[in-house]
Amino acid sequence: MQATQRKWFSITKRWWHKATDLTSNAAAQFLQSCVICHDAITEHNRSIHAQKICSLCWQCLPWIDQHCGTCGLPLAVGAIQCGVCANQRLSYERCFCPLRYDFPLDVLIRNFKDARQWPVKSALVDLLNSAHQELDFSQFGLIAAVPSHWRKRWQRGFNHSYELAVTLAKQHNIPLVTDFKRVKFGQDQRLLTRKERLKNLENTFFCKQDLSGQHVLLLDDVVTTGATIESAAKALVAAGAKPPVVLAIARTPARQKPTTR
Ligand SMILES: [Zn+2]
Ligand SMILES: [Zn+2]
């Protein structure tokens, strides 16, 4: 294939993806089907908690019963704090994640982040709102999303956490922190331990906005080791905020040190 043909093929492919994104998103909006099981939502399976998740799927989601009161890590029944939080001071007040990062939630989050399925966004915001039983949203003066680097935003087309934060902020009438940036691109963190991630994330976030005395709700989609939220919270505190409360949709369970390195 010649260079010109390759170029046109790539442009056509890109537009085809955009068109299919639009039609599938429009169909899902119109039909009001559950974003997990894809059944039509009717009066028989409508959930009181979410518009785009049916009542059965809502019940079957991997809800966390017992968690660390500080970082939100799922714990065995009876435990109140994990080993990490018992032994070190964190830059955030507490982190709350209503769900475990497990099937089908992992698929749902990836469908939003990577496949740009916009109807999933409102379902994810409804999952964040399920935290209202433990979190009083009216206590927060500002909402901040964990920023992504501009290169990542350029690759993906958007910052998924920011998109969730915009909707949540509108619903609760809370202003957003606007001048909060990720200034370092950083290496892939998936194989790093918490300690290595913290080192890797040093001076990664920077907030130009004066947050003196503000109580901020810091939003993320998934918390893994807690290193990213720790680093982002540190930047908000450096801008004058009180230690923020973190809210994420899901938390991964404690894991072993990776054996591949
Ligand atoms: Zn369903
Ligand atoms: Zn903890």
Side-chain angles (χ1 to χ4, degrees):
M1 203 187 285
Q2 286 182 349
T4 329
Q5 281 176 312
R6 268 204 304 273
K7 190 181 162 196
W8 279 107
F9 178 72
S10 144
I11 291 171
T12 315
K13 201 171 100 184
R14 214 176 309 147
W15 279 102
W16 172 254
H17 280 307
K18 270 194 195 306
T20 47
D21 272 3
L22 282 172
T23 47
S24 66
N25 287 340
Q29 290 273 11
F30 181 71
L31 293 170
Q32 280 291 331
S33 54
C34 171
V35 290
I36 297 173
C37 68
H38 305 293
D39 279 357
I41 292 182
T42 66
E43 60 193 76
H44 304 295
N45 65 356
R46 195 178 302 281
S47 163
I48 53 165
H49 308 286
Q51 281 187 355
K52 291 194 168 69
I53 301 178
C54 74
S55 53
L56 188 63
C57 288
W58 184 270
Q59 280 174 35
C60 295
L61 282 167
W63 298 101
I64 295 175
D65 296 324
Q66 190 78 23
H67 58 84
C68 170
T70 308
C71 74
L73 187 75
L75 294 178
V77 176
I80 50 167
Q81 205 175 32
C82 75
V84 172
C85 296
N87 292 310
Q88 70 184 46
R89 238 185 115 160
L90 297 164
S91 300
Y92 55 89
E93 184 188 310
R94 63 175 290 218
C95 170
F96 184 67
C97 313
L99 292 141
R100 238 181 11 257
Y101 189 62
D102 212 341
F103 183 81
L105 186 66
D106 50 354
V107 178
L108 206 60
I109 291 176
R110 279 202 301 271
N111 282 348
F112 176 52
K113 276 167 85 162
D114 303 328
R116 296 171 300 183
Q117 289 185 9
W118 292 105
V120 172
K121 183 173 93 167
S122 83
L124 297 180
V125 173
D126 287 335
L127 293 173
L128 287 168
N129 270 319
S130 73
H132 77 271
Q133 288 168 341
E134 292 214 25
L135 278 184
D136 175 11
F137 286 95
S138 67
Q139 67 182 292
F140 302 110
L142 288 163
I143 293 183
V146 170
S148 57
H149 192 267
W150 68 265
R151 271 167 65 188
K152 196 79 189 170
R153 284 200 305 281
W154 182 71
Q155 283 166 357
R156 185 172 277 148
F158 65 109
N159 171 6
H160 53 284
S161 296
Y162 184 77
E163 293 294 328
L164 298 173
V166 169
T167 308
L168 200 74
K170 264 190 205 152
Q171 287 178 357
H172 294 277
N173 203 20
I174 301 172
L176 283 166
V177 174
T178 49
D179 219 341
F180 188 27
K181 289 189 169 51
R182 188 177 186 123
V183 287
K184 254 171 58 182
F185 189 64
Q187 65 178 106
D188 191 339
Q189 305 216 94
R190 275 172 290 187
L191 289 176
L192 304 184
T193 61
R194 178 184 157 80
K195 208 172 164 188
E196 289 164 337
R197 285 183 185 215
L198 278 170
K199 180 87 190 141
N200 186 36
L201 286 164
E202 252 172 30
N203 303 318
T204 288
F205 300 100
F206 180 66
C207 182
K208 245 188 189 174
Q209 205 170 324
D210 178 13
L211 302 178
S212 299
Q214 291 280 2
H215 199 195
V216 181
L217 178 67
L218 176 61
L219 216 68
D220 204 359
D221 59 339
V222 182
V223 173
T224 308
T225 63
T228 302
I229 55 168
E230 168 61 22
S231 183
K234 205 183 231 181
L236 294 175
V237 171
K242 295 175 187 167
V245 170
V246 181
L247 173 61
I249 304 161
R251 186 75 161 87
T252 54
R255 58 179 196 159
Q256 302 294 315
K257 187 178 165 68
T259 51
T260 49
R261 60 193 305 278

